[in-house]
Amino acid sequence: MEKETTIYDIARRLKLSPATVSRALNDHPAINSNTKSTIAATAKEMGYRSNTFASNLRRQRTNTIGVIVPRLDSHFMSTVLAGMEKVANAASYNLIISQSLESVRKEIANAKTMFNSRVDGLLVSVAYDTEMSEHFDAFVNKGIPLLFFDRVLAHKRSTCIVIDNAKAGYEATAHLIQQGCRRVMHVTGNLKRNVYADRLKGYKLALLDFGLAYEDELVMVTDLSHEAGLKAASHIQTMKNPPDGLFVTNDFCAVSCMSALKKAGLSIPADIAVVGFNDDPVSSVVEPTLTTVHYPGEKMGEVAAQSLINHLNGAMDIQTTNTIILHSELIVRDSSKKAV
Amino acid sequence: MEKETTIYDIARRLKLSPATVSRALNDHPAINSNTKSTIAATAKEMGYRSNTFASNLRRQRTNTIGVIVPRLDSHFMSTVLAGMEKVANAASYNLIISQSLESVRKEIANAKTMFNSRVDGLLVSVAYDTEMSEHFDAFVNKGIPLLFFDRVLAHKRSTCIVIDNAKAGYEATAHLIQQGCRRVMHVTGNLKRNVYADRLKGYKLALLDFGLAYEDELVMVTDLSHEAGLKAASHIQTMKNPPDGLFVTNDFCAVSCMSALKKAGLSIPADIAVVGFNDDPVSSVVEPTLTTVHYPGEKMGEVAAQSLINHLNGAMDIQTTNTIILHSELIVRDSSKKAV
DNA sequence: GTGAAAGCGCTAACAA
DNA sequence: TTGTTAGCGCTTTCAC
């Protein structure tokens, strides 16, 4: 690797000071525009590239945002990341992305790396089994803004970006009831996660509002995997008093459950109406098409990144905002259209 | 933001020199192990964190890998990234990820950012319309390893990680013919991209081998979007001599085409057998389930990242390897099972 | 086994 | 409008 050109090289060549070169390169208003263009030209000619590390070291700022997510390979998460990347890139921030693979242990390691990488801010959606949040204390203590999105930590004072999961859960359940369902089953995930706990709340509330009894038997806590969907389906078939409505808090799980039920001879929605969650592309492709809750992933990514950047630029105080709730929406498709 | 602890603070507290502290923290063999543990303890107590920028500046290395992809929000790409992240993280490399959103212009900007961020190496899958590669010359000139994956640039001397797209295209087409199809239509993407060009080659070769004539009318170049699928479907219905086999080089596009055809009253696979590409989750969920080519995304990500890292660590010379071909596989499902 | 000192490349306060 | 200067925090050569 040959020697890098520095602003000193340019300065020497042009008989200017390094400071002037630095200013010109950063488009400082006080620099003569002729000087600027000469410098720009020479820089280009000499193959100069700015050294971010020197600059970061000097400015005590990294222009880097850390992102920790449970998994990279879900449709929802990739839309979120796409949104973040768009905003970050436009504001000339870099994104360092890592996945916890749903394990706290890895989440802790990732947080540490982010901390040492001196990210200017951190965007987090926590793992399936994260309970405490000490691994984020270092950020809070140093005044590094921390923003949770989607799967947020309840006892943290930091800003959260979420949808109204309780409302979404309510709407999904109410919709099923309005379609004529009298026994609505709910398949959900780890109730320590706000997203699942809140949806369950909404589910319960809807039952209550419509005068249906809540039964423990009708709530299944699973890991929302493909297998969980199959298990739910076979469980349903063993029930003496099976449900006529099913609200699964994840489209993929709903789909695998649905196909297992269909294979078992049940007709959807006639025998059992189904609602999923997330509006994953599969939901509009399965048969019957799956009623689901549209989750504004890209928007969430954009808002999260933008809020953090605004905070970093002093344009907004994130700490006072505390919670941003995005709009979600029930998308009614064929899997739940019982009534006409 | 309060003052950061530096090795000077630790040195002062312990009445040692910064050099010793630095060495101890980096586990230098020449340092007394007692000194080491004292230093480690004090560092922890004082909330020390190493300053990567100072270190990078000094060592002229960043431990960062840049990744440029067309889009983040496809299933395929997110599995690739997941694979890369896993490997990079294990080797304590950071990933800086950016998306070109299928535009060369943004790809060029991203490459520039990566270059200025001094990534140790770059992993790239090019945009839909990228034609030249000058924006990567800077990397080549500086000896920064550059590795293309999936959508690679033909005229570049750099290493490529791909699947055998021609073979995959051949197999997909041959399979349709073996199922009894006599007129196989092919819906593909921009033929400047190796992936689509190669699959087309395979398609042509299969026709040849099975004694079928190639017809321009049977090849549609599209952007492989949802709309493209619909357009293909309606085009098929206007043909005097419609195809009885359809090979679409993208699952999503195939699925939307398939449902449009179904809606138009065609039966699949009886009237027209369909094969997709990528093995996206939708393909096993649609009805009929979609025959497709399994694309080893995660594996590709792992191999790409690992090759680059090995090269950076001197464990392997990437430049001599040149092309790594991963295994892909035709997954036969219901959409193409004509014969019994 | 430890220390002194120089410098990586940049920016910004201050000066001119 | 431009220059001088002093670090940012770390690593590493050379010395002891």
PDB file of all heavy atoms in Angstrom, chain A residues 7-8 19 22-23 48 54 58, chain C residues 8-15:
ATOM      1  N   ILE A   7      -3.400  16.298   3.771  1.00  0.00           N
ATOM      2  CA  ILE A   7      -3.594  17.717   3.498  1.00  0.00           C
ATOM      3  C   ILE A   7      -2.251  18.459   3.529  1.00  0.00           C
ATOM      4  O   ILE A   7      -2.104  19.501   2.929  1.00  0.00           O
ATOM      5  CB  ILE A   7      -4.577  18.384   4.485  1.00  0.00           C
ATOM      6  CG1 ILE A   7      -4.173  18.105   5.914  1.00  0.00           C
ATOM      7  CG2 ILE A   7      -5.990  17.940   4.220  1.00  0.00           C
ATOM      8  CD1 ILE A   7      -4.978  18.929   6.907  1.00  0.00           C
ATOM      9  N   TYR A   8      -1.288  17.882   4.220  1.00  0.00           N
ATOM     10  CA  TYR A   8       0.027  18.508   4.254  1.00  0.00           C
ATOM     11  C   TYR A   8       0.687  18.464   2.882  1.00  0.00           C
ATOM     12  O   TYR A   8       1.326  19.413   2.450  1.00  0.00           O
ATOM     13  CB  TYR A   8       0.929  17.812   5.290  1.00  0.00           C
ATOM     14  CG  TYR A   8       0.564  18.211   6.688  1.00  0.00           C
ATOM     15  CD1 TYR A   8      -0.343  17.478   7.440  1.00  0.00           C
ATOM     16  CD2 TYR A   8       1.119  19.363   7.262  1.00  0.00           C
ATOM     17  CE1 TYR A   8      -0.698  17.865   8.719  1.00  0.00           C
ATOM     18  CE2 TYR A   8       0.778  19.761   8.541  1.00  0.00           C
ATOM     19  CZ  TYR A   8      -0.133  19.009   9.268  1.00  0.00           C
ATOM     20  OH  TYR A   8      -0.472  19.406  10.532  1.00  0.00           O
ATOM     21  N   ALA A  19      -4.245  24.183   7.310  1.00  0.00           N
ATOM     22  CA  ALA A  19      -5.545  24.652   7.792  1.00  0.00           C
ATOM     23  C   ALA A  19      -6.416  25.109   6.632  1.00  0.00           C
ATOM     24  O   ALA A  19      -7.602  24.765   6.553  1.00  0.00           O
ATOM     25  CB  ALA A  19      -5.342  25.787   8.782  1.00  0.00           C
ATOM     26  N   SER A  22      -7.632  22.150   4.770  1.00  0.00           N
ATOM     27  CA  SER A  22      -8.689  21.488   5.524  1.00  0.00           C
ATOM     28  C   SER A  22      -9.994  22.242   5.366  1.00  0.00           C
ATOM     29  O   SER A  22     -11.038  21.661   5.059  1.00  0.00           O
ATOM     30  CB  SER A  22      -8.303  21.406   7.000  1.00  0.00           C
ATOM     31  OG  SER A  22      -9.383  20.967   7.774  1.00  0.00           O
ATOM     32  N   ARG A  23      -9.923  23.535   5.547  1.00  0.00           N
ATOM     33  CA  ARG A  23     -11.145  24.336   5.436  1.00  0.00           C
ATOM     34  C   ARG A  23     -11.744  24.241   4.041  1.00  0.00           C
ATOM     35  O   ARG A  23     -12.947  24.058   3.876  1.00  0.00           O
ATOM     36  CB  ARG A  23     -10.826  25.795   5.745  1.00  0.00           C
ATOM     37  CG  ARG A  23     -10.472  26.037   7.191  1.00  0.00           C
ATOM     38  CD  ARG A  23     -10.443  27.519   7.506  1.00  0.00           C
ATOM     39  NE  ARG A  23      -9.965  27.771   8.857  1.00  0.00           N
ATOM     40  CZ  ARG A  23      -8.749  28.204   9.146  1.00  0.00           C
ATOM     41  NH1 ARG A  23      -7.870  28.439   8.178  1.00  0.00           N
ATOM     42  NH2 ARG A  23      -8.397  28.391  10.397  1.00  0.00           N
ATOM     43  N   TYR A  48      -6.104  12.324  -3.177  1.00  0.00           N
ATOM     44  CA  TYR A  48      -6.301  12.511  -1.738  1.00  0.00           C
ATOM     45  C   TYR A  48      -7.615  11.922  -1.273  1.00  0.00           C
ATOM     46  O   TYR A  48      -8.624  12.003  -1.961  1.00  0.00           O
ATOM     47  CB  TYR A  48      -6.295  14.010  -1.415  1.00  0.00           C
ATOM     48  CG  TYR A  48      -6.759  14.309  -0.014  1.00  0.00           C
ATOM     49  CD1 TYR A  48      -5.889  14.140   1.056  1.00  0.00           C
ATOM     50  CD2 TYR A  48      -8.055  14.724   0.236  1.00  0.00           C
ATOM     51  CE1 TYR A  48      -6.315  14.380   2.345  1.00  0.00           C
ATOM     52  CE2 TYR A  48      -8.488  14.969   1.517  1.00  0.00           C
ATOM     53  CZ  TYR A  48      -7.623  14.796   2.567  1.00  0.00           C
ATOM     54  OH  TYR A  48      -8.048  15.029   3.844  1.00  0.00           O
ATOM     55  N   ALA A  54      -8.535  10.378  11.727  1.00  0.00           N
ATOM     56  CA  ALA A  54      -7.906  11.582  12.241  1.00  0.00           C
ATOM     57  C   ALA A  54      -8.992  12.607  12.551  1.00  0.00           C
ATOM     58  O   ALA A  54      -8.999  13.231  13.614  1.00  0.00           O
ATOM     59  CB  ALA A  54      -6.929  12.134  11.225  1.00  0.00           C
ATOM     60  N   ARG A  58     -10.041  13.938  16.211  1.00  0.00           N
ATOM     61  CA  ARG A  58      -9.956  15.358  16.500  1.00  0.00           C
ATOM     62  C   ARG A  58     -11.327  15.909  16.946  1.00  0.00           C
ATOM     63  O   ARG A  58     -11.429  16.660  17.901  1.00  0.00           O
ATOM     64  CB  ARG A  58      -9.468  16.055  15.231  1.00  0.00           C
ATOM     65  CG  ARG A  58      -9.334  17.542  15.267  1.00  0.00           C
ATOM     66  CD  ARG A  58      -8.363  17.968  16.334  1.00  0.00           C
ATOM     67  NE  ARG A  58      -8.977  19.020  17.100  1.00  0.00           N
ATOM     68  CZ  ARG A  58      -8.501  20.244  17.230  1.00  0.00           C
ATOM     69  NH1 ARG A  58      -7.323  20.550  16.722  1.00  0.00           N
ATOM     70  NH2 ARG A  58      -9.151  21.138  17.893  1.00  0.00           N
TER      71      ARG A  58
ATOM     72  P    DC C   8       3.606  11.545  10.873  1.00  0.00           P
ATOM     73  OP1  DC C   8       4.692  11.257   9.929  1.00  0.00           O
ATOM     74  OP2  DC C   8       3.121  12.922  11.054  1.00  0.00           O
ATOM     75  O5'  DC C   8       2.350  10.658  10.491  1.00  0.00           O
ATOM     76  C5'  DC C   8       2.361   9.242  10.533  1.00  0.00           C
ATOM     77  C4'  DC C   8       0.977   8.760  10.919  1.00  0.00           C
ATOM     78  O4'  DC C   8       0.846   8.807  12.346  1.00  0.00           O
ATOM     79  C3'  DC C   8      -0.120   9.668  10.385  1.00  0.00           C
ATOM     80  O3'  DC C   8      -0.561   9.135   9.131  1.00  0.00           O
ATOM     81  C2'  DC C   8      -1.216   9.573  11.447  1.00  0.00           C
ATOM     82  C1'  DC C   8      -0.488   9.053  12.703  1.00  0.00           C
ATOM     83  N1   DC C   8      -0.429   9.991  13.860  1.00  0.00           N
ATOM     84  C2   DC C   8      -0.935   9.604  15.096  1.00  0.00           C
ATOM     85  O2   DC C   8      -1.453   8.484  15.217  1.00  0.00           O
ATOM     86  N3   DC C   8      -0.851  10.459  16.148  1.00  0.00           N
ATOM     87  C4   DC C   8      -0.276  11.661  15.980  1.00  0.00           C
ATOM     88  N4   DC C   8      -0.211  12.473  17.041  1.00  0.00           N
ATOM     89  C5   DC C   8       0.252  12.067  14.718  1.00  0.00           C
ATOM     90  C6   DC C   8       0.149  11.211  13.690  1.00  0.00           C
ATOM     91  P    DG C   9      -0.413  10.018   7.830  1.00  0.00           P
ATOM     92  OP1  DG C   9      -0.652   9.124   6.693  1.00  0.00           O
ATOM     93  OP2  DG C   9       0.803  10.840   7.893  1.00  0.00           O
ATOM     94  O5'  DG C   9      -1.649  10.988   7.979  1.00  0.00           O
ATOM     95  C5'  DG C   9      -2.950  10.443   8.007  1.00  0.00           C
ATOM     96  C4'  DG C   9      -3.900  11.513   8.457  1.00  0.00           C
ATOM     97  O4'  DG C   9      -3.561  11.926   9.791  1.00  0.00           O
ATOM     98  C3'  DG C   9      -3.867  12.779   7.605  1.00  0.00           C
ATOM     99  O3'  DG C   9      -5.179  12.975   7.125  1.00  0.00           O
ATOM    100  C2'  DG C   9      -3.413  13.876   8.556  1.00  0.00           C
ATOM    101  C1'  DG C   9      -3.819  13.304   9.915  1.00  0.00           C
ATOM    102  N9   DG C   9      -3.017  13.763  11.028  1.00  0.00           N
ATOM    103  C8   DG C   9      -1.668  14.036  11.053  1.00  0.00           C
ATOM    104  N7   DG C   9      -1.229  14.419  12.224  1.00  0.00           N
ATOM    105  C5   DG C   9      -2.362  14.394  13.032  1.00  0.00           C
ATOM    106  C6   DG C   9      -2.511  14.718  14.396  1.00  0.00           C
ATOM    107  O6   DG C   9      -1.636  15.082  15.194  1.00  0.00           O
ATOM    108  N1   DG C   9      -3.818  14.557  14.831  1.00  0.00           N
ATOM    109  C2   DG C   9      -4.864  14.151  14.029  1.00  0.00           C
ATOM    110  N2   DG C   9      -6.053  14.058  14.605  1.00  0.00           N
ATOM    111  N3   DG C   9      -4.741  13.858  12.743  1.00  0.00           N
ATOM    112  C4   DG C   9      -3.469  13.995  12.315  1.00  0.00           C
ATOM    113  P    DC C  10      -5.654  14.281   6.402  1.00  0.00           P
ATOM    114  OP1  DC C  10      -6.695  13.899   5.456  1.00  0.00           O
ATOM    115  OP2  DC C  10      -4.516  15.095   5.961  1.00  0.00           O
ATOM    116  O5'  DC C  10      -6.374  15.013   7.613  1.00  0.00           O
ATOM    117  C5'  DC C  10      -7.544  14.395   8.158  1.00  0.00           C
ATOM    118  C4'  DC C  10      -7.912  15.074   9.443  1.00  0.00           C
ATOM    119  O4'  DC C  10      -6.738  15.194  10.252  1.00  0.00           O
ATOM    120  C3'  DC C  10      -8.430  16.485   9.256  1.00  0.00           C
ATOM    121  O3'  DC C  10      -9.838  16.457   9.424  1.00  0.00           O
ATOM    122  C2'  DC C  10      -7.767  17.303  10.340  1.00  0.00           C
ATOM    123  C1'  DC C  10      -6.901  16.312  11.098  1.00  0.00           C
ATOM    124  N1   DC C  10      -5.553  16.821  11.406  1.00  0.00           N
ATOM    125  C2   DC C  10      -5.284  17.266  12.698  1.00  0.00           C
ATOM    126  O2   DC C  10      -6.181  17.259  13.546  1.00  0.00           O
ATOM    127  N3   DC C  10      -4.032  17.713  12.996  1.00  0.00           N
ATOM    128  C4   DC C  10      -3.085  17.705  12.061  1.00  0.00           C
ATOM    129  N4   DC C  10      -1.862  18.133  12.391  1.00  0.00           N
ATOM    130  C5   DC C  10      -3.338  17.253  10.724  1.00  0.00           C
ATOM    131  C6   DC C  10      -4.585  16.829  10.450  1.00  0.00           C
ATOM    132  P    DT C  11     -10.648  17.790   9.090  1.00  0.00           P
ATOM    133  OP1  DT C  11     -12.043  17.358   8.890  1.00  0.00           O
ATOM    134  OP2  DT C  11      -9.931  18.563   8.071  1.00  0.00           O
ATOM    135  O5'  DT C  11     -10.555  18.587  10.460  1.00  0.00           O
ATOM    136  C5'  DT C  11     -11.278  18.085  11.561  1.00  0.00           C
ATOM    137  C4'  DT C  11     -11.085  19.008  12.733  1.00  0.00           C
ATOM    138  O4'  DT C  11      -9.670  19.210  12.988  1.00  0.00           O
ATOM    139  C3'  DT C  11     -11.688  20.390  12.569  1.00  0.00           C
ATOM    140  O3'  DT C  11     -12.328  20.665  13.804  1.00  0.00           O
ATOM    141  C2'  DT C  11     -10.486  21.300  12.342  1.00  0.00           C
ATOM    142  C1'  DT C  11      -9.407  20.585  13.160  1.00  0.00           C
ATOM    143  N1   DT C  11      -7.979  20.754  12.760  1.00  0.00           N
ATOM    144  C2   DT C  11      -7.065  21.038  13.731  1.00  0.00           C
ATOM    145  O2   DT C  11      -7.361  21.197  14.896  1.00  0.00           O
ATOM    146  N3   DT C  11      -5.764  21.141  13.283  1.00  0.00           N
ATOM    147  C4   DT C  11      -5.319  20.973  11.986  1.00  0.00           C
ATOM    148  O4   DT C  11      -4.126  21.071  11.719  1.00  0.00           O
ATOM    149  C5   DT C  11      -6.329  20.668  11.015  1.00  0.00           C
ATOM    150  C7   DT C  11      -5.948  20.467   9.592  1.00  0.00           C
ATOM    151  C6   DT C  11      -7.606  20.576  11.433  1.00  0.00           C
ATOM    152  P    DA C  12     -13.513  21.676  13.867  1.00  0.00           P
ATOM    153  OP1  DA C  12     -14.645  21.009  14.561  1.00  0.00           O
ATOM    154  OP2  DA C  12     -13.696  22.319  12.563  1.00  0.00           O
ATOM    155  O5'  DA C  12     -12.901  22.737  14.884  1.00  0.00           O
ATOM    156  C5'  DA C  12     -12.360  22.270  16.111  1.00  0.00           C
ATOM    157  C4'  DA C  12     -11.641  23.415  16.748  1.00  0.00           C
ATOM    158  O4'  DA C  12     -10.331  23.550  16.158  1.00  0.00           O
ATOM    159  C3'  DA C  12     -12.331  24.762  16.525  1.00  0.00           C
ATOM    160  O3'  DA C  12     -12.107  25.544  17.690  1.00  0.00           O
ATOM    161  C2'  DA C  12     -11.598  25.347  15.322  1.00  0.00           C
ATOM    162  C1'  DA C  12     -10.183  24.839  15.597  1.00  0.00           C
ATOM    163  N9   DA C  12      -9.363  24.684  14.407  1.00  0.00           N
ATOM    164  C8   DA C  12      -9.756  24.525  13.098  1.00  0.00           C
ATOM    165  N7   DA C  12      -8.766  24.395  12.250  1.00  0.00           N
ATOM    166  C5   DA C  12      -7.643  24.471  13.050  1.00  0.00           C
ATOM    167  C6   DA C  12      -6.270  24.415  12.765  1.00  0.00           C
ATOM    168  N6   DA C  12      -5.788  24.232  11.542  1.00  0.00           N
ATOM    169  N1   DA C  12      -5.407  24.524  13.802  1.00  0.00           N
ATOM    170  C2   DA C  12      -5.896  24.693  15.030  1.00  0.00           C
ATOM    171  N3   DA C  12      -7.166  24.765  15.433  1.00  0.00           N
ATOM    172  C4   DA C  12      -7.993  24.648  14.381  1.00  0.00           C
ATOM    173  P    DA C  13     -13.142  26.671  18.062  1.00  0.00           P
ATOM    174  OP1  DA C  13     -14.302  25.983  18.642  1.00  0.00           O
ATOM    175  OP2  DA C  13     -13.318  27.625  16.941  1.00  0.00           O
ATOM    176  O5'  DA C  13     -12.331  27.410  19.230  1.00  0.00           O
ATOM    177  C5'  DA C  13     -11.452  26.670  20.066  1.00  0.00           C
ATOM    178  C4'  DA C  13     -10.189  27.482  20.315  1.00  0.00           C
ATOM    179  O4'  DA C  13      -9.285  27.304  19.204  1.00  0.00           O
ATOM    180  C3'  DA C  13     -10.450  28.986  20.445  1.00  0.00           C
ATOM    181  O3'  DA C  13      -9.698  29.518  21.514  1.00  0.00           O
ATOM    182  C2'  DA C  13     -10.020  29.555  19.095  1.00  0.00           C
ATOM    183  C1'  DA C  13      -8.922  28.564  18.671  1.00  0.00           C
ATOM    184  N9   DA C  13      -8.830  28.381  17.221  1.00  0.00           N
ATOM    185  C8   DA C  13      -9.858  28.258  16.315  1.00  0.00           C
ATOM    186  N7   DA C  13      -9.461  28.087  15.075  1.00  0.00           N
ATOM    187  C5   DA C  13      -8.086  28.112  15.163  1.00  0.00           C
ATOM    188  C6   DA C  13      -7.071  27.993  14.189  1.00  0.00           C
ATOM    189  N6   DA C  13      -7.308  27.803  12.887  1.00  0.00           N
ATOM    190  N1   DA C  13      -5.789  28.055  14.601  1.00  0.00           N
ATOM    191  C2   DA C  13      -5.538  28.231  15.910  1.00  0.00           C
ATOM    192  N3   DA C  13      -6.402  28.364  16.928  1.00  0.00           N
ATOM    193  C4   DA C  13      -7.678  28.289  16.475  1.00  0.00           C
ATOM    194  P    DC C  14      -9.882  31.055  21.945  1.00  0.00           P
ATOM    195  OP1  DC C  14      -9.605  31.115  23.386  1.00  0.00           O
ATOM    196  OP2  DC C  14     -11.147  31.584  21.375  1.00  0.00           O
ATOM    197  O5'  DC C  14      -8.666  31.708  21.161  1.00  0.00           O
ATOM    198  C5'  DC C  14      -7.336  31.196  21.347  1.00  0.00           C
ATOM    199  C4'  DC C  14      -6.437  31.855  20.338  1.00  0.00           C
ATOM    200  O4'  DC C  14      -6.724  31.325  19.032  1.00  0.00           O
ATOM    201  C3'  DC C  14      -6.604  33.375  20.231  1.00  0.00           C
ATOM    202  O3'  DC C  14      -5.392  33.996  20.637  1.00  0.00           O
ATOM    203  C2'  DC C  14      -6.962  33.624  18.767  1.00  0.00           C
ATOM    204  C1'  DC C  14      -6.461  32.344  18.097  1.00  0.00           C
ATOM    205  N1   DC C  14      -7.137  31.984  16.824  1.00  0.00           N
ATOM    206  C2   DC C  14      -6.355  31.621  15.722  1.00  0.00           C
ATOM    207  O2   DC C  14      -5.118  31.607  15.835  1.00  0.00           O
ATOM    208  N3   DC C  14      -6.961  31.292  14.550  1.00  0.00           N
ATOM    209  C4   DC C  14      -8.293  31.312  14.465  1.00  0.00           C
ATOM    210  N4   DC C  14      -8.836  30.980  13.294  1.00  0.00           N
ATOM    211  C5   DC C  14      -9.111  31.680  15.574  1.00  0.00           C
ATOM    212  C6   DC C  14      -8.507  32.001  16.726  1.00  0.00           C
ATOM    213  P    DA C  15      -5.284  35.579  20.562  1.00  0.00           P
ATOM    214  OP1  DA C  15      -4.432  35.977  21.708  1.00  0.00           O
ATOM    215  OP2  DA C  15      -6.602  36.217  20.320  1.00  0.00           O
ATOM    216  O5'  DA C  15      -4.398  35.674  19.239  1.00  0.00           O
ATOM    217  C5'  DA C  15      -3.415  34.656  18.962  1.00  0.00           C
ATOM    218  C4'  DA C  15      -2.764  34.977  17.633  1.00  0.00           C
ATOM    219  O4'  DA C  15      -3.567  34.457  16.547  1.00  0.00           O
ATOM    220  C3'  DA C  15      -2.602  36.481  17.362  1.00  0.00           C
ATOM    221  O3'  DA C  15      -1.321  36.697  16.817  1.00  0.00           O
ATOM    222  C2'  DA C  15      -3.711  36.794  16.353  1.00  0.00           C
ATOM    223  C1'  DA C  15      -3.798  35.465  15.597  1.00  0.00           C
ATOM    224  N9   DA C  15      -5.092  35.191  14.979  1.00  0.00           N
ATOM    225  C8   DA C  15      -6.338  35.304  15.549  1.00  0.00           C
ATOM    226  N7   DA C  15      -7.335  34.973  14.750  1.00  0.00           N
ATOM    227  C5   DA C  15      -6.693  34.628  13.560  1.00  0.00           C
ATOM    228  C6   DA C  15      -7.184  34.190  12.313  1.00  0.00           C
ATOM    229  N6   DA C  15      -8.475  34.016  12.067  1.00  0.00           N
ATOM    230  N1   DA C  15      -6.289  33.945  11.351  1.00  0.00           N
ATOM    231  C2   DA C  15      -4.978  34.116  11.608  1.00  0.00           C
ATOM    232  N3   DA C  15      -4.403  34.515  12.737  1.00  0.00           N
ATOM    233  C4   DA C  15      -5.321  34.760  13.684  1.00  0.00           C
TER     234       DA C  15
END
